[in-house]
Amino acid sequence: MSGEVAILGVGMHPWGKWGRNFVEYGVKAARDALKDAGIPWRDIQFISGGATVRCGYPGYVAGATFAQALGWQGAEVNTSYAACASGSQALAAARAKILSGGAEVALVVGADTTPKGFLAPSKGYRPEDPDWVRFHLGITNPTYFALYARRRMALYGATEQDFAAVKVKNAEHGLSNPYARYRKKFTIEEVLGSAMVADPLRLFQICATSDGGAAVVVSSLDYARRHARHAVRIAAISTVTPRYASGEVEMPDIATDSAAVVPAHSFRASLAKKAYEEAGIGPEDVSLAEVYDLASSMELDWMEYLGLCKTGEAEHLLRGGATRIGGRIPVNASGGLACFGEAVPAQALAQVCELTWQLRGTAGARQVEGARVGITANQGLFGHGSSVILKR
């Protein structure tokens, strides 16, 4: 049986610091997705929400919260939490429901309202919780972003100028994106002149926390055909967990096994490997990628984990312009998290929205010409991560 489902519609709420209830963002995105799909709300049979842990009980049961806000109409509901991969997990639940025959058409929604500053763990003394431990030790997000960056500099010769160039590229991409929070061009000098946060990463190289929402309407291929829709298809959703022993430290666990045998693929590389296997394609088939650039340096790592180039060669692609729109393999044509910031349950779905627009050929000034296959990448805490492949 084919594992593919159709994307009938997508919608987003602009990212920013609006200070309003997360439900408002999700409902706006959902209504836009339903309008884009041409499907009335009453026809949705399953609603899958990405949970937010910062917005109280309504955030814990996000699927039901959005269903209530849109108007109870009998649909089944689901809520998924997987940190930064929550949107992908919610999408995977909807796909599974459709492929099992339990529903023909589903709505997936993620939205968040975030505080200023870092995304701190819940309060309380929990020494068994690695997320709590890293904050107790002072290892906030920029600290381990910087550790990854220093690793890349030591192993592959990456420079601070390379990391700044990623920011400059993504800022140019996001300039025309109406949903992006930051729409401003930068020069390398401006990026390198911003305040140092965690050496070697500066303020303009680290993504902020944001409010925002995204939604996707998915259906069976039969349903799409009956409604005369030539839809973009989801070819794969990978949510594999790490394998230990590991040759890399996977934050926020801070430590790794010391056993001699190490798997052939790191956790992040295994996410893409599983997605490629499920879709029956390889990295050579990919037209563009939306990746998890919590810090500009991390984009270079993800290029290699997705197999877009060999290990240690990401800087070569960046310097040669291959990852720009118009280049061989554009990365973060949306502007990435550099332009959006983190709205945790929405960001994986926002990547799917961007790829859908790109594969439809409706992305406007940031359009990647001839795009046929797109891939996403996200990493969350506690072994969560995702990679989604879309095809047209």
Side-chain angles (χ1 to χ4, degrees), residues 145-159:
F145 301 162
L147 293 175
Y148 284 136
R150 278 293 172 193
R151 177 182 183 274
R152 183 149 202 100
M153 295 172 82
L155 291 178
Y156 309 126
T159 67

Side-chain angles (χ1 to χ4, degrees), residues 224-298:
R225 283 191 286 266
R226 292 201 309 272
H227 287 74
R229 298 299 297 269
H230 300 287
V232 170
R233 292 164 292 155
I234 297 175
I237 304 177
S238 167
T239 58
V240 297
T241 54
R243 291 176 182 267
Y244 278 75
S246 175
E248 294 184 14
V249 174
E250 299 290 356
M251 296 295 182
D253 294 320
I254 306 174
T256 186
D257 286 0
S258 59
V261 178
V262 175
H265 300 276
S266 70
F267 169 46
R268 284 169 284 178
S270 69
L271 289 165
K273 181 177 182 293
K274 173 66 165 55
Y276 287 133
E277 290 173 350
E278 187 175 305
I281 64 172
E284 66 279 2
D285 299 306
V286 172
S287 306
L288 75 162
E290 288 287 315
V291 308
Y292 187 63
D293 61 321
L294 284 173
S296 57
S297 55
M298 295 174 73

Side-chain angles (χ1 to χ4, degrees), residues 27-205:
V27 167
K28 192 274 185 188
R31 287 176 174 161
D32 284 358
L34 290 165
K35 182 179 179 180
D36 186 39
I39 301 293
W41 162 238
R42 66 179 178 272
D43 287 0
I44 295 295
Q45 300 164 344
F46 184 73
I47 181 166
S48 188
T52 168
V53 299
R54 279 169 292 281
C55 299
Y57 187 73
Y60 304 154
V61 293
T65 296
F66 294 129
Q68 181 183 35
L70 290 163
W72 293 123
Q73 44 78 304
E76 295 184 75
V77 295
N78 166 77
T79 300
S80 299
Y81 182 73
C84 293
S86 295
S88 299
Q89 290 275 13
L91 186 62
R95 182 184 66 155
K97 189 72 171 179
I98 290 167
L99 293 176
S100 71
E104 282 197 296
V105 60
L107 172 67
V108 186
V109 190
D112 207 1
T113 294
T114 58
K116 290 186 67 176
F118 304 122
L119 297 177
S122 300
K123 296 179 181 179
Y125 180 76
R126 299 186 314 283
E128 73 288 347
D129 178 349
D131 193 31
W132 182 88
V133 170
R134 69 186 175 107
F135 273 80
H136 182 70
L137 297 177
I139 306 179
T140 54
N141 282 4
T143 304
Y144 70 84
F145 301 162
L147 293 175
Y148 284 136
R150 278 293 172 193
R151 177 182 183 274
R152 183 149 202 100
M153 295 172 82
L155 291 178
Y156 309 126
T159 67
E160 292 186 44
Q161 287 74 18
D162 290 325
F163 302 152
V166 172
K167 170 65 176 182
V168 169
K169 169 187 71 71
N170 288 347
E172 290 179 3
H173 288 176
L175 195 64
S176 64
N177 193 331
Y179 298 102
R181 176 180 176 183
Y182 300 106
R183 300 170 64 186
K184 177 185 176 181
K185 280 191 174 183
F186 289 88
T187 66
I188 287 180
E189 291 73 24
E190 287 173 331
V191 176
L192 293 178
S194 63
M196 183 68 74
V197 176
D199 194 359
L201 299 177
R202 298 176 179 273
L203 181 64
F204 292 164
Q205 296 170 306

Side-chain angles (χ1 to χ4, degrees), residues 334-345:
S334 68
L337 293 176
C339 293
F340 279 76
E342 281 196 276
V344 171

